[in-house]
Amino acid sequence: MRESEVDSLTEQEAKTELKQLLPLIEEANREYHADDDPKILEDGEYDRIKKRAAAIEKRFPQLRPDDSPTSSIGSPPKEGFAKIAHAVKLLSLENAFEQNDVEKFDAGIRRFLGYGTEKALEYMSEPKIDGLSLALRYENGSLASAATRGDGSVGEDVTANAKTIRDIPKVIESAPEVMEIRGEVYMSRNDFLELNESQKEAGSKVFANPRNAAAGSLRQLDVSITRSRKLGFFPHGWGEVSERLGATVDVAMQRLDDFGFKINPNTKVCGDLNELLEHYRDVESMRSSLAYDIDGMVYKINDLVLQERLGVRTHSPRWAISHKFSAETAWTQLEAIEIQVGRTGALSPVARLKPVNVGGVVVSNATLHNEDYVAGLDANGNPIRGGVDIRVGDWVELYRGGDVIPKISAVDSNRRPDGAKRFNFPKTCPVCQSKAIRPEGDAVRRCTAGLGCRAQVFERLKHFVSRNAFDIEGLGDKQVEQFFEDGWIREPADIFNLEEKHLSGDETLEDREGWGEKSASNLFQAIRDRKRITMNRLVFALGIRHVGETVAVRLSRHYGEWSNFVTAMDSAVEQEGSAWDELISIEGIGNTIAESLAMTFANEREREIIGNIAAVLEIDPMPEIASKSPIAGKTIVFTGTMEEMTRPEAKARAEEAGAKVSSSVSSKTDIVVAGPGSGSKEKKARALGVQVIRESEWLGMVGN
Ligand code: IVH
């Protein structure tokens, strides 16, 4: 049906049409803003309807409601935000839950730095704001861009939104030429309650907590909505800066204060662990009276030179930790124990609970860890919870700490229903019925079917597309499950053949529920974008047991090229010989990891899957670390004691400079750093003609 020209509409016709159109636009706006997942209108359709409604309103202004959805500026839904690549990756923090974890953190730092227990070490202690992180880039003193965290490497461009936040300076005099400030956007508890009241009145979405409200308010395509929400900002760090902000965290924060940022008042420099823990208790005791939510404290090494020496791991810095406040607990009844089968075949018991509110969140599932945990035993076979096992029907105490998966912390055996039976942990896989075995000394029982088990195949696929692996936009767990159920995807390589299948088959993607032309073409584009991948991501994505991201990086650095890696693994399957020796000589790769790799490559189906996926990809070697360091690309072995630098620091330094650290000397070794007490390794190096240097020369190489 062709629409009549707006010009020829009668007022009555216009009224009728607006009555249809405005709710549609409203609904599309709401859906978009509520969950980023608009379904009711396709992009083009939204544009067209909104334009027409606006034209009608223009001709009949008397028909235009004051709050007409046509007035919301902003792009159509789905288009979303532009992307911004972070110049310096946004990291996460390791969590400490107990005092003991904090002690371990301090001890680890001392070990790394070679500091004894008596040596002073200052920490900055700050509240951990429960909001969302934002990176503000200032160029020549003006706010040039603001980006959300995203996946840590690429975030969303929310510059216009950030500019509406009062706590964020738009212009800073005397700022360094380039300065990226990071901090937390939050909403106060009062503003959150008020917002929800008015949302409720307007029939709009209410937010679950201040954090979600802050995130939902910042990520608005319609900036006027962000402006109408009350958001705050506390800075807590920085990324790229063209000039140092100070020698310590507290001096740098003082500088940010001078720049016009609001510094959280409950920060404190602490001289030792006791002071840290005291500050933790102080802030925890005022937690409920603060205007905003915090979920713990963050401890950071105050001295920025030490921070730099400590450096970062894959996802988190070595120099900081977050110490979570104690968890919330609640009692409820256990309705069932289910067994889930993981990617590596591990059988994990999961508690299905009568839903209960734990600190504001409704929980109905909790982990039961493993067989022993259900039976009331710890990893060493010693009783926990007084040796009380967990039975279906039991009253259990749920424990939810910060972002950890809820777990069951206690069982009330006095309220145990009559006839409750001890849980019989299955000895076969609940999915494929194969034998599930538990090796001596292992806490975990595993399905033995490997890729013969449907659950493992499916979990492996989910891992393959997960965030730190292939991370294909539009291909999440749900979609993978759908494709897996229908047999479209059986192994990773099938993902890259989806488009071909779609083009050639009788059934196209659009015929399937939940897919449209646009989403299908977006998916194929996202898949094409991933055909080219760096080696370490692929190695990690394979989901080989014990091969996490760090190991994947080490393997990729060591072997350089994918083909070298595969050849080496194929030659190591017998778990002996030179390829095997080389594998276990790689720093951080011991027998367990090496065996797992060898077993994977020895398995025909696994090998086939690896070959298939590699065949459809373009695999880039890991980028050489941009380093003019004389040790970049070299293989280094440390032996004997070191005096100026501890072994962990030396290894970390070598890896940062692009060197490979190995634990044994061979003809492939480039440099042996030998300290006092070096014995056979130094001898072997000399015999092989490998360069042997002293610690002082090493220090010269890494620029100390
Ligand atoms: S420092 C290298 N300090 O917590 C990461 N983070 O779990 C340095 N956060 O992404 C972060 N309050 O968004 C730091 N006082 C604080 C914080 C804080 C909240 C957030 C931040 C970070 C996340 C890590």
Side-chain angles (χ1 to χ4, degrees):
M1 186 192 81
R2 264 208 73 209
E3 284 166 7
S4 40
E5 293 295 316
V6 171
D7 280 342
S8 61
L9 289 177
T10 64
E11 178 163 352
Q12 192 49 47
E13 282 169 340
K15 198 168 170 183
T16 313
E17 201 175 334
L18 277 181
K19 224 164 136 185
Q20 287 174 347
L21 297 184
L22 296 185
L24 270 178
I25 299 170
E26 214 151 30
E27 180 62 20
N29 283 346
R30 185 156 52 234
E31 266 195 39
Y32 177 75
H33 297 307
D35 53 24
D36 286 353
D37 186 18
K39 300 165 211 77
I40 67 162
L41 290 180
E42 287 295 299
D43 311 6
E45 186 66 349
Y46 174 87
D47 273 348
R48 193 186 60 75
I49 290 181
K50 191 166 163 185
K51 216 160 137 190
R52 180 160 175 96
I56 297 173
E57 285 177 348
K58 195 167 168 210
R59 177 144 175 256
F60 301 101
Q62 69 278 21
L63 296 180
R64 181 183 183 283
D66 280 340
D67 57 353
S68 172
T70 55
S71 63
S72 64
I73 8 164
S75 335
K78 252 189 186 174
E79 206 164 79
F81 296 89
K83 301 276 196 274
I84 290 187
H86 298 295
V88 178
K89 208 173 152 187
L90 269 79
L91 297 170
S92 317
L93 291 168
E94 286 278 304
N95 288 325
F97 297 99
E98 287 155 33
Q99 179 168 332
N100 182 254
D101 300 329
V102 181
E103 285 163 5
K104 276 197 205 139
F105 164 69
D106 179 69
I109 287 185
R110 289 177 183 279
R111 208 174 318 116
F112 189 98
L113 295 172
Y115 280 18
T117 44
E118 69 300 330
K119 182 141 177 157
L121 200 52
E122 263 182 8
Y123 288 99
M124 174 64 125
S125 170
E126 303 171 359
K128 186 165 192 291
I129 314 296
D130 201 5
L132 70 150
S133 42
L134 186 66
L136 305 169
R137 191 178 171 89
Y138 291 86
E139 287 171 4
N140 299 311
S142 27
L143 180 57
S145 67
T148 61
R149 167 198 185 79
D151 65 358
S153 303
V154 179
E156 286 173 325
D157 183 345
V158 289
T159 312
N161 310 70
K163 284 185 174 163
T164 69
I165 299 177
R166 241 188 317 154
D167 295 348
I168 296 179
K170 317 304 173 286
V171 178
I172 299 175
E173 277 173 32
S174 72
E177 200 175 309
V178 175
M179 176 175 83
E180 188 209 308
I181 299 303
R182 291 167 177 186
E184 210 75 359
V185 174
Y186 67 94
M187 186 178 284
S188 77
R189 283 194 214 123
N190 274 338
D191 292 335
F192 158 71
L193 294 174
E194 244 170 56
L195 171 63
N196 265 359
E197 275 309 308
S198 61
Q199 292 283 105
K200 219 182 285 165
E201 270 167 35
S204 302
K205 175 195 157 94
V206 294
F207 295 98
N209 52 45
R211 206 205 84 83
N212 285 2
S217 300
L218 183 72
R219 296 181 66 256
Q220 288 285 349
L221 291 174
D222 179 351
V223 175
S224 66
I225 297 180
T226 307
R227 182 172 293 114
S228 73
R229 307 275 171 86
K230 296 184 184 120
L231 295 172
F233 180 81
F234 284 125
H236 53 56
W238 52 89
E240 188 185 0
V241 279
S242 57
E243 187 188 298
R244 276 163 56 102
L245 296 171
T248 57
V249 174
D250 67 314
V251 170
M253 292 309 264
Q254 182 54 52
R255 191 93 195 275
L256 296 190
D257 185 79
D258 297 341
F259 287 156
F261 286 100
K262 241 196 196 149
I263 307 300
N264 189 288
N266 295 307
T267 60
K268 186 176 182 221
V269 177
C270 297
D272 58 29
L273 269 185
N274 287 334
E275 253 186 84
L276 275 181
L277 297 170
E278 196 186 330
H279 190 229
Y280 172 88
R281 285 187 292 267
D282 285 350
V283 179
E284 186 173 31
S285 70
M286 56 171 127
R287 184 180 180 190
S288 57
S289 62
L290 291 176
Y292 43 85
D293 281 351
I294 60 175
D295 55 355
M297 300 299 288
V298 181
Y299 306 144
K300 307 170 182 174
I301 287 287
N302 197 28
D303 184 323
L304 295 176
V305 171
L306 292 185
Q307 276 196 9
E308 203 168 301
R309 277 180 61 190
L310 285 157
V312 300
R313 294 173 287 247
T314 330
H315 293 298
S316 57
R318 283 194 195 85
W319 44 263
I321 197 164
S322 90
H323 187 186
K324 292 301 186 81
F325 289 135
S326 44
E328 318 261 8
T329 59
W331 283 87
T332 187
Q333 224 174 347
L334 177 62
E335 293 185 328
I337 297 178
E338 279 173 21
I339 303 293
Q340 283 180 351
V341 184
R343 166 168 67 86
T344 59
L347 268 46
S348 315
V350 177
R352 303 283 178 225
L353 305 155
K354 195 176 271 175
V356 63
N357 191 314
V358 200
V361 174
V362 176
V363 173
S364 49
N365 303 311
T367 174
L368 287 166
H369 302 290
N370 54 44
E371 195 168 347
D372 286 345
Y373 191 82
V374 179
L377 303 171
D378 73 5
N380 302 315
N382 299 319
I384 49 170
R385 301 184 302 259
V388 181
D389 66 320
I390 297 174
R391 303 185 184 186
V392 172
D394 271 342
W395 279 89
V396 293
E397 184 191 48
L398 255 184
Y399 171 107
R400 193 182 69 88
D403 40 27
V404 293
I405 306 167
K407 63 179 186 186
I408 284 169
S409 41
V411 179
D412 187 349
S413 53
N414 293 326
R415 292 171 86 185
R416 178 165 283 173
D418 289 340
K421 285 195 213 63
R422 196 168 257 284
F423 181 68
N424 216 338
F425 205 93
K427 307 288 183 285
T428 54
C429 172
V431 175
C432 74
Q433 274 71 46
S434 301
K435 232 191 196 156
I437 58 165
R438 185 174 165 189
E440 178 84 33
D442 202 332
V444 178
R445 187 173 288 279
R446 276 169 215 280
C447 162
T448 50
L451 292 175
C453 172
R454 221 181 133 69
Q456 290 186 57
V457 174
F458 175 46
E459 293 299 323
R460 286 270 290 269
L461 284 169
K462 285 205 296 198
H463 172 78
F464 187 85
V465 299
S466 66
R467 191 176 241 200
N468 295 320
F470 271 67
D471 191 23
I472 296 169
E473 216 173 314
L475 195 61
D477 288 3
K478 239 176 38 203
Q479 291 80 8
V480 168
E481 180 162 11
Q482 192 191 33
F483 286 124
F484 180 67
E485 294 295 336
D486 303 351
W488 277 41
I489 297 181
R490 286 278 167 217
E491 58 174 274
D494 295 337
I495 294 170
F496 294 89
N497 296 324
L498 265 186
E499 187 169 9
E500 201 179 316
K501 190 168 179 86
H502 154 90
L503 290 173
S504 66
D506 323 320
E507 192 198 13
T508 65
L509 199 49
E510 288 115 74
D511 299 335
R512 311 166 135 250
E513 203 179 312
W515 292 94
E517 199 180 321
K518 183 90 201 257
S519 55
S521 82
N522 284 347
L523 175 67
F524 296 139
Q525 186 56 48
I527 292 172
R528 264 180 258 125
D529 287 346
R530 282 290 187 225
K531 272 207 163 165
R532 187 161 181 181
I533 192 114
T534 42
M535 182 172 163
N536 56 306
R537 270 199 185 230
L538 172 59
V539 174
F540 169 66
L542 296 176
I544 298 169
R545 194 173 160 207
H546 303 300
V547 180
E549 285 176 89
T550 313
V551 171
V553 165
R554 292 203 163 119
L555 290 167
S556 306
R557 281 252 162 78
H558 183 89
Y559 293 103
E561 300 266 344
W562 171 260
S563 57
N564 293 344
F565 167 66
V566 172
T567 312
M569 293 308 105
D570 284 341
S571 322
V573 294
E574 299 297 341
Q575 305 190 19
E576 58 184 26
S578 63
W580 173 258
D581 291 343
E582 180 177 344
L583 176 60
I584 56 174
S585 80
I586 301 172
E587 175 63 32
I589 298 193
N591 273 310
T592 314
I593 299 174
E595 267 167 28
S596 172
L597 281 159
M599 275 161 59
T600 301
F601 278 79
N603 178 299
E604 221 171 289
R605 174 68 186 136
E606 297 272 11
R607 187 63 187 80
E608 184 186 346
I609 287 176
I610 294 172
N612 290 346
I613 182 64
V616 297
L617 297 173
E618 259 183 84
I619 306 160
D620 287 329
M622 273 189 62
E624 277 296 320
I625 293 181
S627 152
K628 291 185 200 71
S629 164
I631 60 169
K634 299 263 162 81
T635 300
I636 301 186
V637 174
F638 294 96
T639 176
T641 31
M642 303 196 61
E643 276 150 5
E644 296 297 320
M645 196 181 272
T646 64
R647 194 64 83 76
E649 181 170 10
K651 285 178 185 167
R653 278 302 183 75
E655 287 182 348
E656 277 160 27
K660 295 169 256 187
V661 181
S662 171
S663 52
S664 65
V665 177
S666 74
S667 57
K668 292 188 177 162
T669 311
D670 295 300
I671 302 170
V672 170
V673 183
S678 71
S680 59
K681 288 187 189 175
E682 181 176 355
K683 229 187 246 156
K684 186 168 178 192
R686 295 203 185 275
L688 288 168
V690 172
Q691 184 186 9
V692 178
I693 62 171
R694 297 289 155 211
E695 186 177 2
S696 56
E697 291 167 83
W698 155 256
L699 292 173
M701 284 178 171
V702 290
N704 246 43

